[in-house]
Amino acid sequence: MVVPSTRYRVERQISDGVIETWAALDETLDRPVTIRVAPLDSDAGQRLRLQARALARLEHSGLLHVLDTSSDDQRFAVITETLPTTTIADELYVKGNLAPLEAVGIAIEVGDALSVLHRAGFAHGGVTAACIGRRENQHVVILDGPPTSDAVHIPATPPTDLRSLATLTHLMLVGHPPITAPDGHH
């Protein structure tokens, strides 16, 4: 269950685990939000709290916006804008690949968002088509990883983010990830 609040009406659970994700309605502003909740005394809860505070000031269209936080004696919650429901992976499943200008445009937007994260001292850890969604205005947004959860893979570093962005770009352009040689090179 999420942290109690009279402001947010919880509608349904999106995912379960150490960090639970819930769809809700901000009744004060009459807008949908996503709430992530973790036990306050857990490692995940402490990281979520620290990341939310550190990254709440970041404003970039490619990052989920942290709108609010809430806590009680047992749980900590981060409230963000609502997650897009489709991902680039969904688009690739239907289309196979994207037009070159579209793929490069997405890569530039994701790279710019990662740059903002890197300047704030964070890294994503593994950008994939499944963790990139589209807003209603068609701009892309990173759905998983900071600022709303842990890095996707640990250790997360800017160079690993750049490698995963290159892999994502290849996938969007040709419809499959690059082939990896036995020595690890593409």
Side-chain angles (χ1 to χ4, degrees), residues 100-148:
L101 285 177
E102 182 180 16
V104 170
I106 290 169
I108 289 169
E109 286 186 61
V110 172
D112 194 43
L114 289 172
S115 176
V116 169
L117 272 181
H118 296 164
R119 285 192 305 269
F122 291 88
H124 185 272
V127 176
T128 66
C131 71
I132 306 296
R134 284 194 196 257
R135 297 179 182 281
E136 287 182 15
N137 65 6
Q138 295 303 301
H139 287 281
V140 295
V141 59
I142 300 172
L143 304 176
D144 192 21
T148 58

Side-chain angles (χ1 to χ4, degrees), residues 22 45 73 92 99 106 136 140 147 168 180:
W22 299 80
D73 293 340
L92 291 171
I106 290 169
E136 287 182 15
V140 295
L168 171 64
T180 305

Side-chain angles (χ1 to χ4, degrees), residues 75-180:
R75 297 162 298 210
F76 177 80
V78 171
I79 297 90
T80 67
E81 62 186 310
T82 297
L83 297 164
T85 56
T86 59
T87 66
I88 299 301
D90 298 327
E91 290 183 40
L92 291 171
Y93 180 77
V94 173
K95 297 178 183 178
N97 64 330
L98 302 178
L101 285 177
E102 182 180 16
V104 170
I106 290 169
I108 289 169
E109 286 186 61
V110 172
D112 194 43
L114 289 172
S115 176
V116 169
L117 272 181
H118 296 164
R119 285 192 305 269
F122 291 88
H124 185 272
V127 176
T128 66
C131 71
I132 306 296
R134 284 194 196 257
R135 297 179 182 281
E136 287 182 15
N137 65 6
Q138 295 303 301
H139 287 281
V140 295
V141 59
I142 300 172
L143 304 176
D144 192 21
T148 58
S149 63
D150 284 336
V152 175
H153 297 290
I154 307 287
T157 64
T160 60
D161 283 351
L162 292 177
R163 278 192 294 280
S164 66
L165 180 57
T167 299
L168 171 64
T169 304
H170 187 280
L171 173 68
M172 292 187 297
L173 287 168
V174 299
H176 61 80
I179 298 169
T180 305

